[in-house]
Amino acid sequence: MMTRTFVSLLALGACLLIAGPALAQTIPAGQRARVETLAQAPAARVLRDEAGRVRRAWGLGIPAAGVDATSRAREFLGRFGHELAMPADARLVPLSVHEAHGFTVVRFARHAHGGPVLGGTVVVRLRGERVDYVAAHRVAAPEARSPDARATRSIDEATAARLALAETQLERVLEAEAAALEQDGLLYPVWRVDVAGAHLHQRERVILSGDGALLARHPLSLDALGRVFPRDPTSDEDMTSDVELGFLTSRERLTGRYFRVESCNAGTRGCEPTQLATADAAGDFLFDPVEPAFDDAFAEVHTYHHANRAAAYFRDTHDFTWTCGGDSLMRVFVNYTEGPDVPYDNAAYSPSSGSDCGFMLFGQGASHDFSYDSDVVYHEFTHGIVDGIAGLGFFLVDALGVSYDPGAVNEGTADYFAATLSGDPFMAEYFMGASASGEGALRRLDNDLVCPDDLAGESHFDGRIWAGFGWEVREILGAEKTDALIFTTVASLEMIPSLAELAEVTMATADAMQAAGTLDADDRAVIQASLEGRGLVGCERVAPLDGGFTRIGFSGNGSLTSSAGGSIAPVHYRIDVPADATRLVITIESATFGEPDFLLHTRVGAPVRFVPSRTPPVVANGSLDPDARGRVVLTRETETPLARCETLYIAVVTENLRTVNAALYRIQATLEQSGLDESCEDPPTEEDASAPVVDAGVSADGGVTSPSGGGCGCRASGASPLPLGALGLFVTFLAFRRRRPR
């Protein structure tokens, strides 16, 4: 199966609220006869893929006819859909229409074989009656037809549901839906099945082929924060204020127009929701904090207040209200635990699926209650907002393997809006026991992190770069402009963006806001400088390993990276090898519990390439097994020789990833040099020769362009390793996740 098969899986994490089949419409073929091109727009900026297809264009200002935003978007696509390479019979289903900050964003999903194409998204943004921006992803492939055996479904919905339950060992089906998946340049029918278990956090998505073969599975819940180490409370923990609780629709319980807050009251079968907080004779909910406790009424009151504060901000500032099936009431569970008196050190937002609407849950940890920290409440609610405006996925697959960039965009956005609501750049000071200055906070947005130096491959860590960009710009332009920029950018994204694509859309949004008069030229320059300074423009997951720095990396999710990405860690590495290099020692060791078994693939002159049709599924010059000390040694005489005057690329594979589930690792390179005056222009000797580079081209399905240039000099990196506090937290989180019952 070609790489395109696995690239298509990148949409699995997207949770779409798909309109019914009756809304599907075929774009009239007659509208495609006109010969206008997007590039003819006076201020147009057009980005194309390797096949010449438009994947994103902005600065268009093209008038579109219609009675509303959706019809105008359709009319525009009818004229220019051929540039996006949409087949003439492509069916588009409207997903959402949102107006804010002077723009209207219309999102469509492409449908084929009776359901949505996984990842097939078209985004059209209008200003008034003119289209200023369009982006398309995975809309070009035609439907596969008979006699291809894969072009039909040989199992029905009930069988798909049964197979998904058997695969996950969960208990009930939330939704089973026909869908389509691109494989080898054609769209084939598949089944997408969402299933759930007894515990609220046990929700997974399973993708099955038309004949029932498992293609992929992954969790639906968005875990926002890792496990907390026991810390002393902050100095103002017991300081409370009496505030007005708005939007209540019940006189006795915490049920309102936008939220219903309940406690878990866990039994042997999991969470049994009940509302503990009841109004007193005066109609007030005045409870003192009790922590740790599994029956804490204060947690309900505190969460209700801060959830409503976040919801009011998004309504008032961005004109967006979270809804599910037309209902704006979200359920919130506090004092959450998996069993009686069993702490749950986490918090999560779980998106809507089928008839089950999205919800938030906040664990009662071993020593701290996650709902007590307003940053956590704001962060989780923002996940719900992002789900509503963009339906972002969790991962994508490209020529480097599985990437968690879409999750990083989601996590960074949630951190940014939590910080803008709190008014400071520190995340989760309370339950981390941080100081008032933010020292010891879980994450800080006043950072100087950059791509690729500070990439780890894990979404929370990598999201700090995007969140840091937002806070940096906010400090200069102010909250009003920056909040609008971040919100409109995210609303304009395709479902599975990379960090590089995020930067493109951010600049497209800045251009549109400047044209609308919301930003000026100086504002735009600030945004561009910050994006470039943080390496988000053209960001690739290949981090420098020069200079002796120790990098922290993430192995990837056990079931996902192992099945869809050849167990290759999300971040690759590169070392520029100078002419006088004599010895290179690469050391890798586990930074988590368990015993991950690492293997290093190397390639000279281009990144190691993921090709699923190969065995093993990589294009590389060599595969190196670290010794008992976790070391790989390369010299000019070793079987895989040290290639002087070249760039050496390294990919990390965790061979037992399914067993260890997930791991962090430390990797470092030490280069020894002779100090002799050796020239890169010297003809290579036999011992310098490396294995031939195979298949070094760029794939048309999202391949990675090889960075140019060799390496006659060491390229120093100014990156610093991940904070030890964050590392320790995530290590504990991984161990905790492995102990969860499935």
Side-chain angles (χ1 to χ4, degrees), residues 58-190:
W58 68 94
L60 301 176
I62 296 176
V67 297
D68 55 22
T70 301
S71 61
R72 293 187 189 103
R74 283 195 178 280
E75 192 272 338
F76 170 84
L77 292 174
R79 283 188 282 149
F80 298 101
H82 62 284
E83 291 196 63
L84 304 173
M86 286 193 297
D89 60 350
R91 292 185 298 137
L92 298 180
V93 173
L95 292 175
S96 63
V97 179
H98 179 66
E99 299 181 23
H101 307 296
F103 299 98
T104 302
V105 179
V106 185
R107 304 178 69 86
F108 296 94
R110 184 182 171 190
H111 273 219
H113 290 294
V117 176
L118 299 181
T121 316
V122 180
V123 181
V124 179
R125 191 172 68 198
L126 301 98
R127 187 154 62 93
E129 297 183 356
R130 293 177 178 267
V131 172
D132 92 289
Y133 170 93
V134 63
H137 188 80
R138 309 216 66 78
V139 298
E143 292 188 36
R145 304 293 186 187
S146 297
D148 190 331
R150 293 183 296 169
T152 59
R153 291 185 179 88
S154 58
I155 63 170
D156 59 15
E157 179 180 322
T159 303
R162 178 176 55 79
L163 291 173
L165 291 175
E167 168 65 28
T168 59
Q169 296 298 298
L170 297 180
E171 299 179 357
R172 64 189 179 97
V173 174
L174 299 174
E175 181 180 32
E177 181 180 38
L181 175 69
E182 183 177 339
Q183 304 176 44
D184 303 326
L186 295 173
L187 294 175
Y188 290 94
V190 297

Side-chain angles (χ1 to χ4, degrees), residues 394-683:
F394 176 56
F395 70 98
L396 60 85
V397 183
D398 59 18
L400 296 182
V402 171
S403 165
Y404 296 88
D405 277 8
V409 176
N410 204 333
E411 295 297 341
T413 302
D415 276 359
Y416 173 79
F417 282 114
T420 205
L421 277 160
S422 296
D424 67 61
F426 314 126
M427 277 298 301
E429 305 99 299
Y430 164 63
F431 77 82
M432 285 296 294
S435 66
S437 64
E439 187 68 30
L442 179 63
R443 292 188 290 275
R444 296 183 60 145
L445 278 68
D446 57 343
N447 62 60
D448 57 0
L449 304 178
V450 299
C451 173
D453 295 39
D454 295 301
L455 292 178
E458 196 277 329
S459 57
H460 296 84
F461 286 155
D462 294 351
R464 299 175 304 163
I465 302 175
W466 169 236
F469 156 80
W471 192 262
E472 179 181 341
V473 173
R474 186 183 190 271
E475 290 285 89
I476 301 172
L477 303 187
E480 182 178 355
K481 291 180 178 179
T482 311
D483 289 4
L485 172 74
I486 300 296
F487 184 90
T488 307
T489 294
V490 174
S492 304
L493 290 170
E494 304 97 309
M495 288 188 296
I496 32 83
S498 67
L499 290 174
E501 290 169 335
L502 172 67
E504 294 172 358
V505 180
T506 303
M507 281 312 305
T509 301
D511 287 343
M513 292 176 68
Q514 182 182 357
T518 309
L519 300 177
D520 59 29
D522 290 341
D523 296 336
R524 184 192 183 281
V526 167
I527 294 165
Q528 183 173 3
S530 182
L531 286 172
E532 293 176 350
R534 289 184 176 270
L536 287 169
V537 177
C539 172
E540 288 186 341
R541 306 189 318 278
V542 183
L545 206 56
D546 311 278
F549 290 100
T550 298
R551 303 286 188 198
I552 299 295
F554 176 55
S555 66
N557 173 279
S559 60
L560 178 57
T561 297
S562 60
S563 62
S567 297
I568 301 172
V571 176
H572 293 220
Y573 304 95
R574 56 175 288 164
I575 304 170
D576 292 336
V577 183
D580 65 340
T582 59
R583 189 170 186 261
L584 174 66
V585 180
I586 304 170
T587 304
I588 185 168
E589 62 179 359
S590 174
T592 55
F593 303 114
E595 297 182 357
D597 186 8
F598 297 117
L599 180 71
L600 303 183
H601 292 303
T602 61
R603 189 179 182 190
V604 176
V608 174
R609 183 184 176 90
F610 171 60
V611 182
S613 59
R614 287 174 172 261
T615 304
V618 294
V619 175
N621 297 143
S623 298
L624 307 175
D625 194 3
D627 62 21
R629 298 166 59 187
R631 301 188 315 160
V632 166
V633 179
L634 297 180
T635 68
R636 301 183 188 184
E637 292 78 27
T638 50
E639 182 178 353
T640 299
L642 180 60
R644 300 180 304 115
C645 304
E646 295 281 0
T647 299
L648 179 68
Y649 291 86
I650 302 163
V652 176
V653 169
T654 306
E655 294 193 288
N656 59 342
L657 185 55
R658 283 187 179 272
T659 302
V660 300
N661 187 37
L664 288 176
Y665 58 83
R666 299 183 185 91
I667 186 169
Q668 182 186 42
T670 303
L671 190 66
E672 297 179 8
Q673 298 171 247
S674 67
L676 300 177
D677 186 16
E678 300 184 61
S679 172
C680 283
E681 281 68 41
D682 291 342

